[in-house]
């Protein structure tokens, strides 16, 4: 389902480029990487927008989760694993690791 949505978004972008000749940067389905290492989340990217994707990369030797305090996502990441979250709504979302409650982060998603 997620993959299909991404393909549809890409198709829409390609059509708009064909129709108008110039890409519209705000509509681009970007992927932002956040690396988890040494029991800490890497810095949150600036300029996150709806329909952007965050790719979580667990570079640590521990298993972690990325768990939103509002329940909007909960990604389980064994050591070395990657996972993705698509940002569906403009919001400020705090998140933490269920195994290490001191690990915290925040995503600020603009429209
Ligand atoms: Cu953890």
């Amino acid at each position: 389902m997620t993959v299909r949505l991404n393909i549809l978004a890409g198709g829409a972008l390609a059509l708009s480029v064909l129709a108008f000749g110039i890409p519209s940067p705000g509509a681009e389905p970007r992927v932002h990487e956040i690396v988890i290492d040494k029991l800490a989340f890497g810095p949150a990217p600036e300029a996150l927008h709806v329909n952007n994707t965050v790719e979580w990369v667990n570079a640590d030797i521990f298993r972690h989760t990325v768990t939103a305090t509002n329940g909007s996502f909960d990604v389980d990441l064994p050591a070395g694993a990657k996972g993705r979250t698509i940002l569906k709504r403009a919001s400020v979302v705090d998140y933490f690791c269920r195994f290490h409650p001191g690990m915290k982060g925040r995503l600020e998603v603009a429209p």
Side-chain angles (χ1 to χ4, degrees):
M1 191 60 187
T2 296
V3 171
R4 178 180 296 177
L5 284 174
N6 281 343
I7 290 168
L8 287 174
L13 180 64
L15 285 176
S16 71
V17 170
L18 284 175
F20 301 107
I22 47 171
S24 92
E28 191 178 338
R30 292 187 178 170
V31 178
H32 303 265
E33 187 177 273
I34 297 180
V35 177
I36 303 165
D37 195 15
K38 298 182 177 64
L39 293 166
F41 294 107
E46 294 182 15
L48 292 173
H49 291 277
V50 171
N51 288 329
N52 286 183
T53 295
V54 174
E55 180 166 82
W56 310 98
V57 179
N58 185 0
D60 217 338
I61 59 172
F62 305 105
R63 179 182 175 186
H64 298 295
T65 71
V66 190
T67 305
T69 59
N70 68 3
S72 61
F73 56 82
D74 186 13
V75 182
D76 185 39
L77 295 169
K82 295 181 179 181
R84 287 187 164 204
T85 299
I86 298 177
L87 306 172
K88 300 286 192 186
R89 290 189 304 180
S91 57
V92 177
V93 185
D94 291 311
Y95 59 88
F96 63 99
C97 171
R98 283 189 272 118
F99 303 127
H100 311 100
M103 292 177 61
K104 294 176 181 176
R106 171 176 287 183
L107 299 178
E108 298 186 15
V109 185

XYZ file of all heavy atoms in Angstrom:
837
model
N 0.846 -1.201 0.000
C 0.000 0.000 0.000
C 0.873 1.239 0.000
O 0.695 2.143 -0.791
C -0.898 -0.022 1.238
C -1.981 1.040 1.169
S -3.039 0.813 -0.268
C -4.042 2.281 -0.191
N 1.863 1.234 0.870
C 2.793 2.356 0.943
C 3.527 2.547 -0.388
O 3.624 3.649 -0.901
C 3.817 2.087 2.067
O 3.117 2.053 3.296
C 4.847 3.180 2.112
N 3.989 1.432 -0.947
C 4.734 1.516 -2.200
C 3.834 2.063 -3.300
O 4.232 2.919 -4.072
C 5.270 0.120 -2.577
C 5.853 0.153 -3.969
C 6.305 -0.317 -1.552
N 2.587 1.596 -3.330
C 1.674 2.068 -4.360
C 1.449 3.580 -4.247
O 1.449 4.286 -5.223
C 0.337 1.328 -4.248
C -0.668 1.808 -5.278
C -1.971 1.073 -5.157
N -1.805 -0.343 -5.454
C -2.809 -1.225 -5.360
N -3.991 -0.833 -4.977
N -2.609 -2.487 -5.637
N 1.285 4.068 -3.015
C 1.105 5.509 -2.813
C 2.306 6.276 -3.332
O 2.164 7.308 -3.977
C 0.894 5.800 -1.323
C -0.488 5.458 -0.777
C -0.521 5.656 0.716
C -1.554 6.306 -1.448
N 3.502 5.770 -3.059
C 4.710 6.443 -3.529
C 4.757 6.496 -5.053
O 5.126 7.493 -5.639
C 5.959 5.729 -3.000
C 6.236 6.097 -1.554
O 5.716 7.082 -1.057
N 7.038 5.308 -0.887
N 4.368 5.403 -5.679
C 4.385 5.363 -7.141
C 3.379 6.372 -7.700
O 3.674 7.104 -8.635
C 4.060 3.936 -7.633
C 5.231 3.007 -7.297
C 3.783 3.925 -9.125
C 4.929 1.552 -7.467
N 2.209 6.421 -7.089
C 1.194 7.372 -7.558
C 1.695 8.804 -7.415
O 1.533 9.624 -8.305
C -0.108 7.181 -6.779
C -0.887 5.920 -7.137
C -2.066 5.765 -6.204
C -1.345 5.971 -8.583
N 2.329 9.102 -6.283
C 2.847 10.452 -6.067
C 3.912 10.777 -7.108
O 3.956 11.863 -7.668
C 3.409 10.583 -4.656
N 4.785 9.820 -7.390
C 5.822 10.027 -8.393
C 5.215 10.256 -9.761
O 5.657 11.108 -10.534
N 4.173 9.513 -10.086
C 3.503 9.677 -11.371
C 2.880 11.046 -11.504
O 2.979 11.696 -12.541
N 2.268 11.507 -10.429
C 1.645 12.827 -10.443
C 2.693 13.900 -10.641
O 2.490 14.860 -11.390
C 0.879 13.056 -9.144
N 3.833 13.735 -9.987
C 4.912 14.711 -10.124
C 5.411 14.725 -11.567
O 5.594 15.778 -12.161
C 6.053 14.370 -9.162
C 7.242 15.329 -9.203
C 6.801 16.713 -8.741
C 8.370 14.822 -8.331
N 5.612 13.545 -12.128
C 6.103 13.456 -13.503
C 5.122 14.139 -14.451
O 5.516 14.859 -15.363
C 6.296 11.993 -13.888
N 3.829 13.938 -14.238
C 2.817 14.567 -15.087
C 2.882 16.082 -14.975
O 2.782 16.786 -15.964
C 1.422 14.070 -14.707
C 1.076 12.657 -15.161
C -0.292 12.257 -14.631
C 1.128 12.562 -16.680
N 3.058 16.582 -13.739
C 3.087 18.032 -13.572
C 4.327 18.616 -14.237
O 4.291 19.706 -14.780
C 3.025 18.413 -12.093
O 4.233 18.101 -11.451
N 5.427 17.873 -14.217
C 6.643 18.351 -14.891
C 6.392 18.411 -16.395
O 6.742 19.385 -17.068
C 7.842 17.424 -14.581
C 9.024 17.775 -15.462
C 8.218 17.537 -13.111
N 5.750 17.392 -16.921
C 5.447 17.376 -18.353
C 4.520 18.536 -18.726
O 4.700 19.193 -19.744
C 4.784 16.047 -18.728
C 5.715 14.846 -18.825
C 4.915 13.588 -19.091
C 6.768 15.056 -19.906
N 3.536 18.773 -17.879
C 2.533 19.773 -18.216
C 3.092 21.198 -18.130
O 2.768 22.042 -18.960
C 1.329 19.631 -17.292
N 3.935 21.457 -17.162
C 4.357 22.833 -16.914
C 5.841 23.060 -17.175
O 6.296 24.183 -17.195
C 4.025 23.227 -15.470
C 2.567 23.122 -15.164
C 2.090 22.096 -14.360
C 1.656 24.021 -15.709
C 0.744 21.987 -14.081
C 0.312 23.912 -15.439
C -0.159 22.892 -14.636
N 6.580 21.990 -17.353
C 7.981 22.135 -17.723
C 8.921 22.380 -16.569
O 10.110 22.212 -16.716
N 8.383 22.804 -15.431
C 9.265 23.033 -14.283
C 8.763 22.227 -13.087
O 7.557 22.175 -12.843
C 9.343 24.522 -13.887
C 7.933 25.127 -13.830
C 10.214 25.295 -14.855
C 7.893 26.515 -13.242
N 9.680 21.609 -12.383
C 9.263 20.843 -11.201
C 8.812 21.777 -10.091
O 9.255 22.919 -10.017
C 10.536 20.090 -10.794
C 11.658 20.823 -11.427
C 11.114 21.570 -12.606
N 7.919 21.314 -9.249
C 7.517 22.126 -8.102
C 8.122 21.502 -6.852
O 7.740 20.422 -6.438
C 5.998 22.223 -8.020
O 5.459 21.241 -7.219
N 9.121 22.153 -6.267
C 9.913 21.556 -5.188
C 9.077 21.143 -3.986
O 9.362 20.144 -3.350
C 10.883 22.669 -4.799
C 10.846 23.651 -5.920
C 9.514 23.502 -6.588
N 8.036 21.900 -3.671
C 7.247 21.599 -2.495
C 6.506 20.287 -2.597
O 6.188 19.670 -1.590
N 6.210 19.854 -3.810
C 5.430 18.639 -3.993
C 6.310 17.395 -4.112
O 5.804 16.299 -4.220
C 4.569 18.766 -5.241
N 7.595 17.581 -4.082
C 8.499 16.452 -4.291
C 8.429 15.485 -3.111
O 8.539 15.913 -1.962
C 9.925 16.976 -4.440
C 10.907 15.950 -4.922
C 12.303 16.546 -5.088
O 12.404 17.780 -5.229
O 13.263 15.776 -5.047
N 8.213 14.206 -3.364
C 8.158 13.233 -2.262
C 9.555 12.877 -1.767
O 10.111 11.854 -2.091
C 7.469 12.029 -2.896
C 7.770 12.131 -4.343
C 7.949 13.601 -4.655
N 10.127 13.737 -0.987
C 11.520 13.569 -0.567
C 11.672 12.517 0.524
O 10.745 12.285 1.301
C 12.063 14.894 -0.034
C 12.204 15.932 -1.109
C 12.899 17.143 -0.558
N 13.073 18.127 -1.635
C 13.480 19.370 -1.436
N 13.757 19.776 -0.217
N 13.630 20.201 -2.434
N 12.862 11.962 0.606
C 13.218 11.029 1.665
C 14.324 11.662 2.507
O 15.357 12.079 1.989
C 13.697 9.685 1.084
C 14.104 8.743 2.219
C 12.619 9.054 0.221
N 14.054 11.788 3.804
C 15.027 12.355 4.741
C 15.541 11.234 5.635
O 14.752 10.478 6.192
C 14.379 13.413 5.631
C 13.729 14.532 4.873
N 14.367 15.714 4.603
C 12.493 14.638 4.322
C 13.550 16.513 3.936
N 12.412 15.885 3.754
N 16.832 11.142 5.794
C 17.416 10.062 6.590
C 17.720 10.563 8.004
O 18.272 11.647 8.182
C 18.704 9.599 5.913
C 19.322 8.377 6.550
C 20.556 7.934 5.779
O 20.411 7.163 4.811
O 21.665 8.379 6.135
N 17.329 9.757 8.985
C 17.733 10.015 10.369
C 18.461 8.772 10.870
O 17.902 7.677 10.871
C 16.525 10.336 11.266
C 15.838 11.628 10.799
C 16.966 10.465 12.730
C 14.631 12.033 11.630
N 19.704 8.959 11.263
C 20.540 7.845 11.703
C 20.487 7.738 13.220
O 20.568 8.737 13.935
C 21.995 8.032 11.224
C 22.886 6.904 11.743
C 22.051 8.106 9.702
N 20.328 6.515 13.688
C 20.337 6.236 15.132
C 21.671 5.576 15.453
O 22.046 4.568 14.843
C 19.192 5.279 15.498
C 17.846 5.855 15.054
C 19.202 4.982 16.996
C 16.731 4.828 15.057
N 22.406 6.169 16.396
C 23.712 5.610 16.746
C 24.023 5.971 18.193
O 23.634 7.040 18.673
C 24.783 6.171 15.805
C 26.071 5.360 15.865
O 26.056 4.223 16.398
O 27.096 5.849 15.363
N 24.710 5.086 18.873
C 25.145 5.319 20.261
C 23.998 5.779 21.145
O 24.101 6.767 21.882
C 26.300 6.323 20.296
C 27.545 5.828 19.546
C 28.679 6.823 19.631
C 29.930 6.300 18.942
N 29.753 6.113 17.469
N 22.875 5.069 21.028
C 21.709 5.326 21.877
C 21.161 6.742 21.718
O 20.682 7.352 22.684
C 22.047 5.056 23.351
C 22.321 3.585 23.679
C 22.977 3.438 25.037
C 21.031 2.771 23.622
N 21.228 7.272 20.508
C 20.672 8.612 20.260
C 20.122 8.697 18.840
O 20.695 8.119 17.910
C 21.734 9.680 20.470
N 19.021 9.441 18.698
C 18.516 9.758 17.375
C 19.335 10.900 16.784
O 19.650 11.870 17.490
C 17.046 10.205 17.443
C 16.110 9.112 17.877
C 15.548 9.131 19.146
C 15.787 8.073 17.021
C 14.681 8.133 19.553
C 14.911 7.062 17.423
C 14.368 7.094 18.688
N 19.666 10.791 15.519
C 20.339 11.896 14.835
C 19.418 13.104 14.761
O 18.221 13.005 15.017
N 19.976 14.259 14.400
C 19.172 15.485 14.346
C 18.041 15.367 13.329
O 18.210 14.764 12.270
C 20.180 16.559 13.929
C 21.339 15.825 13.356
C 21.371 14.473 14.007
N 16.900 15.941 13.681
C 15.763 15.923 12.768
C 16.036 16.866 11.606
O 16.564 17.953 11.803
C 14.497 16.335 13.496
N 15.683 16.448 10.392
C 15.878 17.331 9.240
C 14.976 18.550 9.354
O 13.873 18.475 9.899
C 15.436 16.472 8.052
C 15.295 15.085 8.575
C 15.065 15.189 10.040
N 15.425 19.667 8.839
C 14.559 20.837 8.745
C 13.737 20.719 7.470
O 14.042 19.922 6.593
C 15.416 22.102 8.725
C 16.142 22.309 10.041
C 16.963 23.592 10.025
O 16.742 24.428 9.130
O 17.811 23.721 10.905
N 12.693 21.522 7.392
C 11.880 21.585 6.172
C 11.245 20.247 5.815
O 11.265 19.813 4.671
C 12.722 22.100 5.005
N 10.693 19.597 6.809
C 9.888 18.407 6.536
C 8.501 18.846 6.083
O 7.924 19.783 6.642
C 9.745 17.556 7.802
C 10.992 16.867 8.318
C 10.690 16.208 9.660
C 11.492 15.833 7.323
N 7.966 18.139 5.079
C 6.632 18.473 4.568
C 5.781 17.217 4.468
O 6.304 16.097 4.416
C 6.746 19.132 3.193
C 7.353 20.503 3.235
N 6.625 21.630 3.524
C 8.634 20.912 3.055
C 7.416 22.692 3.499
N 8.647 22.282 3.229
N 4.475 17.449 4.429
C 3.538 16.344 4.236
C 3.910 15.579 2.965
O 4.281 16.184 1.957
C 2.092 16.878 4.149
C 1.129 15.780 3.733
C 1.673 17.472 5.488
N 3.829 14.270 3.065
C 4.174 13.324 1.998
C 5.672 13.093 1.855
O 6.082 12.293 1.013
C 3.582 13.712 0.645
C 2.086 13.484 0.630
O 1.590 12.584 1.305
N 1.366 14.293 -0.122
N 6.489 13.774 2.659
C 7.890 13.390 2.735
C 7.978 12.064 3.494
O 7.065 11.695 4.235
C 8.717 14.431 3.491
C 8.980 15.710 2.697
O 9.670 16.582 3.181
N 8.430 15.831 1.501
N 9.091 11.390 3.286
C 9.354 10.141 3.989
C 10.588 10.309 4.873
O 11.556 10.935 4.453
C 9.610 9.006 2.976
O 8.420 8.780 2.222
C 10.022 7.717 3.674
N 10.512 9.798 6.085
C 11.711 9.701 6.921
C 12.204 8.263 6.860
O 11.441 7.328 7.108
C 11.430 10.100 8.377
C 12.661 9.839 9.247
C 11.040 11.572 8.454
N 13.451 8.093 6.502
C 14.063 6.766 6.560
C 14.926 6.700 7.811
O 15.876 7.468 7.968
C 14.909 6.469 5.326
C 15.533 5.075 5.412
C 16.096 4.595 4.096
O 17.237 5.000 3.774
O 15.411 3.842 3.386
N 14.550 5.787 8.697
C 15.281 5.576 9.941
C 16.353 4.536 9.684
O 16.065 3.467 9.149
C 14.333 5.062 11.027
C 13.079 5.869 11.173
C 11.857 5.582 10.634
C 12.920 7.091 11.903
N 10.951 6.558 10.992
C 11.567 7.487 11.767
C 13.788 7.874 12.668
C 11.073 8.649 12.365
C 13.286 9.021 13.263
C 11.953 9.394 13.108
N 17.585 4.844 10.068
C 18.698 3.920 9.872
C 19.293 3.609 11.242
O 19.834 4.494 11.907
C 19.780 4.541 8.956
C 20.939 3.576 8.783
C 19.178 4.934 7.603
N 19.169 2.356 11.661
C 19.731 1.979 12.953
C 21.176 1.518 12.760
O 21.436 0.379 12.397
C 18.895 0.876 13.602
C 19.386 0.556 15.000
O 20.352 1.159 15.482
N 18.731 -0.388 15.651
N 22.098 2.421 13.001
C 23.520 2.115 12.869
C 24.099 1.621 14.198
O 25.317 1.458 14.325
C 24.281 3.357 12.389
N 23.242 1.397 15.161
C 23.681 1.024 16.497
C 23.787 -0.503 16.616
O 23.337 -1.245 15.748
C 22.658 1.557 17.511
C 23.326 2.053 18.782
O 24.472 1.634 19.064
O 22.695 2.848 19.497
N 24.386 -0.949 17.719
C 24.468 -2.381 17.966
C 23.280 -2.871 18.784
O 23.188 -4.038 19.129
C 25.785 -2.750 18.699
C 25.878 -2.004 20.042
C 26.991 -2.433 17.828
C 27.045 -2.461 20.911
N 22.355 -1.944 19.103
C 21.163 -2.283 19.874
C 19.914 -2.214 19.009
O 19.880 -1.498 18.018
C 20.984 -1.306 21.049
C 22.172 -1.213 21.954
C 23.013 -0.105 21.903
C 22.464 -2.230 22.840
C 24.119 -0.018 22.734
C 23.564 -2.152 23.677
C 24.397 -1.047 23.629
N 18.903 -2.962 19.419
C 17.587 -2.822 18.816
C 16.909 -1.574 19.372
O 16.988 -1.310 20.570
C 16.744 -4.057 19.143
C 15.338 -4.025 18.595
C 14.610 -5.285 19.026
N 13.216 -5.277 18.624
C 12.338 -6.218 18.994
N 12.732 -7.211 19.786
N 11.096 -6.156 18.587
N 16.262 -0.825 18.495
C 15.537 0.374 18.913
C 14.147 0.388 18.286
O 13.869 -0.361 17.343
C 16.277 1.649 18.476
C 17.629 1.807 19.083
N 17.829 1.994 20.432
C 18.867 1.809 18.529
C 19.129 2.117 20.680
N 19.788 1.995 19.538
N 13.301 1.282 18.807
C 12.055 1.598 18.121
C 12.000 3.108 17.920
O 12.688 3.864 18.605
C 10.798 1.186 18.914
O 10.637 2.052 20.050
C 10.875 -0.266 19.364
N 11.197 3.510 16.962
C 10.854 4.928 16.806
C 9.354 4.992 17.007
O 8.581 4.580 16.145
C 11.236 5.473 15.433
C 11.079 6.986 15.408
C 12.662 5.090 15.067
N 8.953 5.455 18.177
C 7.560 5.366 18.602
C 7.002 6.766 18.849
O 7.500 7.496 19.708
C 7.471 4.529 19.897
O 8.089 3.256 19.671
C 6.026 4.346 20.326
N 5.987 7.126 18.091
C 5.388 8.453 18.237
C 4.543 8.509 19.494
O 3.782 7.576 19.796
C 4.537 8.785 17.018
N 4.651 9.597 20.245
C 3.844 9.724 21.464
C 2.355 9.846 21.136
O 1.512 9.538 21.975
C 4.273 10.950 22.292
O 4.128 12.121 21.483
C 5.713 10.828 22.756
N 2.024 10.276 19.915
C 0.606 10.388 19.533
C 0.110 9.142 18.802
O -1.000 9.139 18.259
C 0.376 11.640 18.678
C 1.038 11.547 17.312
O 1.638 10.533 16.959
N 0.938 12.613 16.540
N 0.934 8.090 18.740
C 0.508 6.832 18.147
C 0.510 6.801 16.624
O 0.080 5.814 16.032
N 1.019 7.849 15.982
C 0.917 7.895 14.516
C 1.921 6.979 13.814
O 1.730 6.626 12.660
C 1.058 9.335 14.013
O 2.312 9.877 14.373
N 2.997 6.581 14.495
C 3.896 5.570 13.932
C 4.639 4.853 15.046
O 4.771 5.366 16.161
C 4.879 6.170 12.908
C 5.721 7.314 13.435
C 6.864 7.088 14.182
C 5.361 8.632 13.162
C 7.641 8.135 14.648
C 6.130 9.698 13.626
C 7.269 9.447 14.369
N 5.071 3.640 14.743
C 5.833 2.827 15.690
C 6.683 1.871 14.861
O 6.185 0.886 14.340
C 4.881 2.066 16.622
C 5.630 1.323 17.714
O 6.840 1.581 17.912
O 5.004 0.465 18.365
N 7.954 2.202 14.708
C 8.835 1.449 13.815
C 9.816 0.643 14.663
O 10.502 1.193 15.517
C 9.606 2.401 12.875
C 10.479 1.619 11.910
C 8.635 3.317 12.124
N 9.858 -0.657 14.423
C 10.776 -1.543 15.146
C 12.047 -1.711 14.321
O 11.987 -2.044 13.140
C 10.089 -2.894 15.365
C 10.930 -3.814 16.215
O 11.570 -3.342 17.175
O 10.957 -5.020 15.915
N 13.202 -1.457 14.943
C 14.459 -1.468 14.198
C 15.505 -2.332 14.895
O 16.231 -1.864 15.782
C 15.001 -0.039 14.064
C 14.172 0.933 13.237
C 14.685 2.353 13.435
C 14.212 0.557 11.768
N 15.625 -3.586 14.503
C 16.743 -4.395 14.992
C 18.072 -3.737 14.599
O 18.105 -2.892 13.692
C 16.564 -5.727 14.259
C 15.118 -5.757 13.853
C 14.737 -4.328 13.601
N 19.156 -4.118 15.265
C 20.464 -3.545 14.946
C 20.737 -3.657 13.449
O 20.546 -4.710 12.844
C 21.546 -4.261 15.740
N 21.143 -2.556 12.852
C 21.491 -2.551 11.435
C 20.308 -2.383 10.488
O 20.508 -2.281 9.276
N 19.089 -2.332 11.015
C 17.902 -2.293 10.149
C 17.557 -0.866 9.729
O 18.002 0.116 10.318
C 16.718 -2.917 10.871
N 16.736 -0.794 8.676
C 16.178 0.481 8.225
C 14.666 0.373 8.223
O 14.111 -0.714 8.062
C 16.636 0.810 6.799
C 18.116 1.053 6.652
C 18.458 1.393 5.210
C 19.958 1.667 5.062
N 20.301 2.022 3.664
N 14.004 1.499 8.402
C 12.550 1.531 8.321
C 12.110 2.889 7.817
O 12.888 3.848 7.820
N 10.849 2.963 7.363
C 10.379 4.221 6.780
C 9.061 4.678 7.391
O 8.207 3.857 7.724
C 10.196 4.076 5.270
C 11.523 4.016 4.534
C 11.343 4.050 3.044
N 12.616 4.359 2.389
C 12.724 4.894 1.180
N 11.658 5.158 0.474
N 13.914 5.161 0.672
N 8.923 5.971 7.526
C 7.672 6.578 7.965
C 7.283 7.640 6.945
O 8.096 8.517 6.619
C 7.848 7.251 9.348
O 8.214 6.258 10.303
C 6.557 7.928 9.789
N 6.071 7.558 6.430
C 5.565 8.604 5.542
C 4.804 9.620 6.385
O 3.958 9.254 7.199
C 4.651 8.009 4.453
C 5.434 7.038 3.587
C 4.057 9.127 3.594
C 4.587 6.335 2.531
N 5.136 10.885 6.214
C 4.534 11.949 7.020
C 3.214 12.360 6.382
O 3.179 12.959 5.321
C 5.508 13.125 7.105
C 6.897 12.725 7.619
C 7.862 13.888 7.490
C 6.825 12.216 9.042
N 2.130 12.011 7.056
C 0.799 12.160 6.461
C 0.148 13.503 6.749
O -0.725 13.937 6.008
C -0.131 11.062 6.995
C 0.321 9.648 6.687
C 0.096 9.317 5.237
C 0.265 7.810 5.009
N 0.194 7.491 3.585
N 0.523 14.114 7.879
C -0.181 15.333 8.292
C 0.799 16.382 8.783
O 1.832 16.054 9.370
C -1.163 15.015 9.437
C -2.356 14.186 9.011
C -3.361 14.117 10.112
N -2.780 13.605 11.358
C -3.449 13.447 12.477
N -4.719 13.782 12.530
N -2.860 12.968 13.554
N 0.442 17.621 8.601
C 1.222 18.709 9.175
C 1.018 18.689 10.690
O -0.125 18.762 11.161
C 0.774 20.047 8.595
N 2.110 18.557 11.425
C 1.997 18.426 12.878
C 3.389 18.453 13.491
O 4.391 18.401 12.791
C 1.303 17.105 13.243
O 2.021 16.011 12.690
N 3.404 18.548 14.796
C 4.643 18.364 15.553
C 4.509 17.045 16.294
O 3.545 16.853 17.048
C 4.881 19.518 16.542
C 6.135 19.259 17.374
C 5.000 20.841 15.793
N 5.413 16.137 16.042
C 5.315 14.800 16.616
C 6.571 14.497 17.424
O 7.680 14.518 16.900
C 5.163 13.715 15.515
C 4.950 12.348 16.145
C 4.031 14.067 14.572
N 6.378 14.223 18.693
C 7.486 13.765 19.531
C 7.565 12.252 19.453
O 6.544 11.566 19.339
C 7.262 14.200 20.981
C 7.390 15.700 21.155
O 8.399 16.260 20.664
O 6.490 16.314 21.750
N 8.773 11.729 19.507
C 8.927 10.277 19.453
C 10.041 9.842 20.406
O 10.845 10.661 20.863
C 9.201 9.809 18.027
C 10.433 10.390 17.376
C 11.676 9.773 17.528
C 10.357 11.552 16.618
C 12.805 10.301 16.925
C 11.488 12.089 16.011
C 12.711 11.454 16.166
O 13.828 11.985 15.587
N 10.035 8.543 20.702
C 11.006 8.000 21.657
C 11.273 6.548 21.297
O 10.638 5.987 20.395
C 10.452 8.113 23.094
C 9.197 7.302 23.329
C 9.253 6.055 23.947
C 7.959 7.779 22.905
C 8.102 5.304 24.158
C 6.798 7.025 23.107
C 6.875 5.794 23.726
N 12.208 5.933 22.012
C 12.480 4.503 21.853
C 11.866 3.763 23.040
O 12.096 4.132 24.192
C 13.988 4.257 21.794
S 14.423 2.503 21.852
N 11.086 2.720 22.747
C 10.417 2.000 23.823
C 11.410 1.257 24.721
O 11.128 0.983 25.885
C 9.404 1.001 23.244
C 8.125 1.684 22.772
C 7.045 0.671 22.416
N 7.149 0.244 21.025
C 7.388 -1.006 20.649
N 7.540 -1.953 21.538
N 7.460 -1.293 19.382
N 12.578 0.920 24.190
C 13.564 0.187 24.990
C 14.469 1.120 25.783
O 15.075 0.717 26.771
C 14.429 -0.697 24.085
C 13.625 -1.667 23.267
C 13.778 -1.732 21.894
C 12.690 -2.501 23.871
C 13.033 -2.618 21.143
C 11.939 -3.391 23.120
C 12.109 -3.450 21.753
N 14.616 2.340 25.321
C 15.524 3.295 25.968
C 14.802 4.639 26.086
O 14.932 5.503 25.217
C 16.812 3.463 25.143
C 17.435 2.154 24.746
N 17.290 1.591 23.488
C 18.179 1.282 25.470
C 17.943 0.435 23.455
N 18.488 0.218 24.634
N 14.038 4.804 27.151
C 13.162 5.989 27.261
C 13.915 7.318 27.240
O 13.313 8.352 27.004
C 12.472 5.777 28.620
C 12.567 4.306 28.876
C 13.862 3.859 28.255
N 15.217 7.298 27.463
C 15.982 8.543 27.360
C 16.198 9.002 25.928
O 16.606 10.136 25.692
N 15.941 8.114 24.969
C 16.104 8.476 23.552
C 14.837 9.179 23.070
O 13.773 8.579 23.035
C 16.338 7.217 22.707
C 17.657 6.524 22.969
S 17.810 4.990 22.003
C 17.713 5.609 20.312
N 14.987 10.434 22.668
C 13.828 11.219 22.263
C 14.150 12.056 21.029
O 15.308 12.414 20.801
C 13.389 12.155 23.396
C 12.866 11.422 24.621
C 12.535 12.387 25.733
C 12.037 11.624 26.963
N 11.799 12.513 28.097
N 13.110 12.388 20.299
C 13.273 13.267 19.147
C 11.951 13.909 18.802
O 10.912 13.605 19.394
N 11.988 14.825 17.842
C 10.797 15.559 17.438
C 10.840 15.838 15.949
O 11.867 16.251 15.421
C 10.691 16.869 18.215
C 9.589 17.805 17.701
C 9.449 19.050 18.542
N 8.822 18.742 19.834
C 8.528 19.653 20.751
N 8.841 20.921 20.542
N 7.948 19.297 21.877
N 9.708 15.592 15.292
C 9.561 15.946 13.878
C 8.587 17.113 13.773
O 7.498 17.064 14.373
C 9.004 14.761 13.074
C 9.822 13.477 13.048
C 9.076 12.414 12.252
C 11.197 13.733 12.444
N 8.969 18.131 13.040
C 8.064 19.258 12.781
C 7.717 19.227 11.303
O 8.561 19.497 10.440
C 8.736 20.571 13.191
C 9.035 20.592 14.687
C 9.561 21.940 15.176
O 9.429 22.929 14.431
O 10.105 21.974 16.291
N 6.482 18.861 11.023
C 6.046 18.625 9.648
C 5.180 19.793 9.180
O 4.113 20.055 9.745
C 5.255 17.315 9.541
C 4.904 17.015 8.085
C 6.042 16.158 10.171
N 5.628 20.476 8.160
C 4.867 21.598 7.591
C 3.969 21.075 6.467
O 4.207 19.988 5.927
C 5.840 22.643 7.053
N 2.944 21.823 6.079
C 2.020 21.373 5.017
C 2.694 21.095 3.683
O 3.768 21.470 3.428
C 1.046 22.547 4.874
C 1.105 23.257 6.190
C 2.498 23.066 6.712
Cu 16.534 2.304 21.826
